[in-house]
Structures are given as structure tokens and as C-alpha cells.
């Protein structure tokens, strides 16, 4: 069984804004990168149980790119999204609205190729970019 990794962020924005920025492709392409030298030139999202998403992630210099996608298992609007990636790993995204914003917790199955700390740092960096982007919208 894969080790689970948990990352979190508090986003100072209303749930409606958080949900829109998290789920709509035109927003995803603006925040879905772990570092400034990467970007997401295209994204598609069919947000329903059994639906799929596909984000194209690329180095800005064109040296490397890959598709990141999955199939939705749970879609509980403005509360929780669970998906399974192509390699079978599960990702559980939890949203909790408070009086001063939204807490996001992501729990995902670690992969075996890269160190746990590296995986956590990369996913946290993307979540931090989401926070920064969403709070500025």
C-alpha cells in the first residue's frame, strides 16, 4: 500500500472563488505549476463522477512536458473531490470553509520514483501557487 502524503493551505477567499479557480480550466492554466519555469498550456475538466481531467504541464523552454490527469471517483461540490490518476494512485482534495476563507487539504498516494519530501514539496508548491492566484482574483 502506498504511503500517503498530506499538504494543506488556507486561502483567504470565499468558497465560490476557490471552487471556480480550482475547477475551471481557464483558471487552472494560470496556477498549475510548481515553479516559474513551468506552465500548464492546456487543461480540460469534466467534473462529475466518472468524468476525467487532463492538464498538460510543460517546461517553458520546451525541454520537457507531460500530461497529468485522472478520473473522478467523488465529486461533492464545494466540499470534496477524489480522483484516481492513470497510474492508480488516489488523490483526495478536501475543502472546508470558515469565516476567514477556505482550508484545503490534499491527501495523495506517494509514487515510488521520487523521495517523499520531494513529492510533498512539489505538490505544496502548486497548492501555494493556487493560493496566491486565487487570493488575487
Amino acid at each position: 500500500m502506498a504511503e500517503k502524503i498530506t499538504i494543506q493551505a488556507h486561502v483567504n477567499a470565499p468558497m465560490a472563488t476557490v471552487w471556480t479557480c480550482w475547477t475551471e480550466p481557464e483558471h487552472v492554466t494560470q496556477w498549475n505549476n510548481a515553479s516559474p519555469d513551468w506552465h500548464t498550456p492546456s487543461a480540460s475538466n469534466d467534473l462529475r463522477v466518472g468524468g476525467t481531467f487532463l492538464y498538460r504541464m510543460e517546461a517553458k523552454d520546451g525541454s520537457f512536458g507531460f500530461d497529468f490527469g485522472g478520473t473522478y471517483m467523488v465529486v461533492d461540490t464545494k466540499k470534496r473531490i477524489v480522483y484516481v490518476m492513470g497510474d492508480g494512485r488516489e488523490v483526495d482534495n478536501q475543502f472546508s470553509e470558515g469565516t476567514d476563507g477556505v482550508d484545503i487539504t490534499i491527501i495523495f498516494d506517494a509514487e515510488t520514483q521520487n523521495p517523499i519530501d520531494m513529492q510533498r514539496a512539489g505538490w505544496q508548491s502548486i497548492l501555494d501557487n493556487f493560493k496566491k492566484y486565487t487570493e488575487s482574483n
Side-chain angles (χ1 to χ4, degrees):
M1 188 163 171
E3 183 171 343
K4 301 277 187 189
I5 299 174
T6 300
I7 59 170
Q8 297 178 303
H10 178 79
V11 181
N12 295 303
M15 178 62 83
T17 302
V18 168
W19 193 258
T20 295
C21 290
W22 191 266
T23 61
E24 294 187 6
E26 62 269 25
H27 291 289
V28 173
T29 59
Q30 301 303 305
W31 59 260
N32 189 48
N33 58 288
S35 63
D37 54 338
W38 278 76
H39 67 145
T40 299
S42 64
S44 64
N45 192 18
D46 180 11
L47 186 62
R48 62 181 174 83
V49 172
T52 61
F53 71 94
L54 183 64
Y55 304 156
R56 178 68 187 169
M57 301 172 78
E58 296 180 356
K60 287 183 179 176
D61 67 6
S63 63
F64 187 75
F66 63 94
D67 292 331
F68 178 81
T71 302
Y72 293 112
M73 309 304 288
V74 175
V75 177
D76 187 358
T77 302
K78 298 181 181 175
K79 289 184 174 58
R80 187 170 178 228
I81 298 171
V82 179
Y83 62 84
V84 175
M85 293 184 277
D87 63 6
R89 293 184 298 135
E90 187 175 285
V91 181
D92 186 348
N93 303 273
Q94 302 168 8
F95 305 84
S96 176
E97 187 170 27
T99 56
D100 63 343
V102 178
D103 290 317
I104 301 172
T105 301
I106 301 173
I107 304 163
F108 64 96
D109 294 334
E111 43 96 343
T112 56
Q113 294 180 330
N114 295 294
I116 297 292
D117 289 346
M118 182 178 157
Q119 295 176 63
R120 181 181 292 111
W123 284 59
Q124 185 68 55
S125 181
I126 293 170
L127 184 57
D128 292 346
N129 281 346
F130 172 80
K131 171 183 168 64
K132 181 179 176 183
Y133 172 78
T134 303
E135 288 177 351
S136 70
N137 274 294

